[in-house]
Amino acid sequence: GQNIDQPTEMTATEGAIVQINCTYQTSGFNGLFWYQQHAGEAPTFLSYNVLDGLEEKGRFSSFLSRSKGYSYLLLKELQMKDSASYLCAVRGGDSNYQLIWGAGTKLIIKP
Amino acid sequence: DAGVTQSPTHLIKTRGQQVTLRCSPISGHKSVSWYQQVLGQGPQFIFQYYEKEERGRGNFPDRFSARQFPNYSSELNVNALLLGDSALYLCASSWTGGEYNEQFFGPGTRLTVL
């Protein structure tokens, strides 16, 4: 079956660093995406990994290990506006074009 | 440049009714995907269309159908609505339906079934 696991909720302090983990088990793999979703809004793209390693983009970095079925999203210098849900999605499954989504990690930033 | 647009924003229907949701992709994008997102969960893939052809279908009943028009806009139809169909319906567009396929999401249609 297809399964993506993320922690339900995390809390961090403004200015700190937080790592959100994602593990996946899918019948195929053609890339992993991270999206940010503020309450009541649509998801917005953060990062894409298809090869093992770290992709850095400003305050956000994403890491992938295909052999371990594991990814993480690293957020540095946290700001209050980073309070949102972070969704991990894998392109895989029965169709190469299908995105399989985790339930999301709700990140709460405290002053 | 306009982003992905969806209509209507909100919709209230009763059980057994039918609903049509509409999506216009970003200009130049040829692929549209539909997702259902229940509160507190991640989006669930319903359909993907590319160049007016269905490219993928998620695990949804036949009550759900979709199509893509020559201008790449798309409609999602749901027949015989059930209470469990209440959700946010998201449309996402991308340049192609290929492997690297950053999807841009519209604001969604909030469907409530009473």
Side-chain angles (χ1 to χ4, degrees):
Chain A
Q2 324 288 356
N3 194 51
I4 296 183
D5 287 317
Q6 306 178 232
T8 304
E9 187 173 298
M10 298 182 71
T11 303
T13 304
E14 190 176 16
I17 299 173
V18 71
Q19 177 175 311
I20 302 174
N21 296 324
C22 169
T23 57
Y24 64 89
Q25 294 171 309
T26 57
S27 57
F29 182 83
N30 280 301
L32 185 145
F33 296 78
W34 284 95
Y35 278 80
Q36 181 191 61
Q37 187 175 27
H38 285 99
E41 297 182 10
T44 55
F45 172 80
L46 290 177
S47 69
Y48 170 74
N49 295 69
V50 67
L51 299 175
D52 289 352
L54 189 68
E55 294 284 339
E56 297 185 82
K57 189 185 291 186
R59 293 189 300 114
F60 293 3
S61 303
S62 57
F63 171 83
L64 175 67
S65 169
R66 288 172 296 170
S67 62
K68 295 181 180 178
Y70 168 71
S71 173
Y72 68 72
L73 179 70
L74 192 71
L75 292 76
K76 303 176 186 175
E77 301 169 15
L78 287 170
Q79 302 173 11
M80 297 303 291
K81 67 178 182 179
D82 296 330
S83 293
S85 284
Y86 291 85
L87 298 158
C88 172
V90 172
R91 181 177 305 287
D94 298 331
S95 162
N96 284 337
Y97 311 105
Q98 179 179 344
L99 274 180
I100 304 161
W101 295 76
T105 298
K106 182 178 181 181
L107 178 62
I108 299 168
I109 309 297
K110 296 186 174 180
Chain B
D1 215 5
V4 178
T5 59
Q6 292 186 243
S7 63
T9 308
H10 294 84
L11 201 54
I12 298 175
K13 292 284 189 178
T14 56
R15 281 178 297 174
Q17 285 190 308
Q18 174 265 342
V19 68
T20 298
L21 311 181
R22 296 177 176 82
C23 171
S24 292
I26 291 172
S27 177
H29 283 192
K30 300 180 179 181
S31 180
V32 169
S33 297
W34 286 96
Y35 295 89
Q36 180 195 67
Q37 187 175 26
V38 175
L39 193 63
Q41 297 182 19
Q44 296 292 314
F45 172 75
I46 309 176
F47 287 108
Q48 184 187 31
Y49 278 79
Y50 176 65
E51 289 280 19
K52 301 180 288 293
E53 302 264 333
E54 181 183 302
R55 188 165 258 195
R57 184 185 184 113
N59 188 24
F60 279 80
D62 292 343
R63 300 186 294 108
F64 289 76
S65 63
R67 55 181 175 168
Q68 186 177 33
F69 299 99
N71 67 353
Y72 302 111
S73 67
S74 178
E75 286 182 352
L76 174 70
N77 294 285
V78 187
N79 293 323
L81 285 167
L82 303 174
L83 295 179
D85 295 331
S86 294
L88 179 68
Y89 287 84
L90 294 164
C91 171
S93 81
S94 58
W95 181 257
T96 71
E99 290 184 356
Y100 175 60
N101 189 21
E102 178 184 341
Q103 298 193 343
F104 295 84
F105 283 83
T109 295
R110 174 75 60 187
L111 173 65
T112 302
V113 182
L114 302 176

